[in-house]
Amino acid sequence: MQRAGGRHLPPAHRDRLLSLADNVRFPAAQRLFEEHTVADRFWILKTGAVTLDAELPHRRRAETQTLGPGEPVGLSWLLPPFERELGAETLSPVRAYEFDAPQVRSLCGSDPEFGFAISQWFGLVITQRLHATRGRLLDLHEAAAAPPASSKKAGARVRYHPRTADLPGFPRRTSASVIRLRRSAG
């Protein structure tokens, strides 16, 4: 819980948040939550690992990110409609701080300074997770759509797709997840 998004939660706010925590344990391979369920709690990992996943049509769950100690699990508790966008499962035995989301939201509402610090801290995490999930899903799409190696045409050129290559905040990627193949004329 020391860092999220490369930024520390100020000690006074961290201590106040931890005063609301319950210590919990989960075995390996336990589902913590599913997509489209009510986000009434969240966790900050002390030990172990949790994977986030997304349901894809006609496919099994796609893992989008693995989280470790110090990272929050379950971000949808902060903003309406308080519904989970991803699922989560433990990869190993986990020890974590568990928080009652309505209780934390109430404290955020009654103490604007605390609420601002929590919103900033979780906002950075949300932004990072969005970028990571987007990249992972593009990679999965690329893998599913890629033609077999033997069917690639000679003379194909690689270029960046104009919609994603130069967006502010999105680093240039050289993987085919953000490029398209275009056949040479002739």
Side-chain angles (χ1 to χ4, degrees):
M1 190 163 116
Q2 299 298 327
R3 296 179 62 199
R7 188 173 193 191
H8 293 274
L9 186 62
H13 298 306
R14 189 190 106 228
D15 293 343
R16 190 146 188 215
L17 180 62
L18 286 176
S19 73
L20 303 175
D22 289 323
N23 289 300
V24 296
R25 293 175 185 258
F26 299 103
Q30 180 170 331
R31 293 295 292 173
L32 296 179
F33 51 85
E34 301 292 341
E35 288 181 60
H36 310 296
T37 58
V38 175
D40 60 351
R41 65 191 67 246
F42 66 95
W43 302 265
I44 296 176
L45 299 178
K46 295 192 311 188
T47 63
V50 171
T51 185
L52 300 177
D53 54 50
E55 290 286 338
L56 298 178
H58 312 294
R59 300 180 84 177
R60 62 182 177 84
R61 288 184 181 107
E63 294 180 7
T64 61
Q65 195 170 14
T66 300
L67 308 176
E71 295 188 87
V73 178
L75 305 176
S76 301
W77 68 273
L78 188 59
L79 301 168
F82 311 118
E83 183 178 296
R84 307 243 187 239
E85 295 295 325
L86 297 171
E89 184 172 315
T90 60
L91 290 177
S92 64
V94 165
R95 289 181 31 232
Y97 297 110
E98 182 176 76
F99 299 89
D100 177 86
Q103 183 182 23
V104 176
R105 282 194 304 268
S106 177
L107 183 57
C108 288
S110 67
D111 181 346
E113 187 178 322
F114 175 78
F116 181 75
I118 294 295
S119 296
Q120 290 290 298
W121 193 62
F122 276 92
L124 289 169
V125 175
I126 290 168
T127 300
Q128 287 180 335
R129 300 256 175 97
L130 199 62
H131 288 290
T133 299
R134 178 185 176 277
R136 177 69 175 132
L137 292 176
L138 285 171
D139 288 344
L140 290 170
H141 176 73
E142 167 197 278
S150 62
S151 70
K152 290 184 181 176
K153 302 280 184 183
R157 288 191 318 197
V158 175
R159 68 176 175 84
Y160 283 98
H161 188 280
R163 289 190 210 163
T164 58
D166 296 311
L167 291 175
F170 288 89
R172 282 190 171 271
R173 292 176 49 130
T174 58
S175 76
S177 64
V178 292
I179 56 178
R180 304 229 187 228
L181 294 176
R182 182 175 62 177
R183 293 180 202 185
S184 300

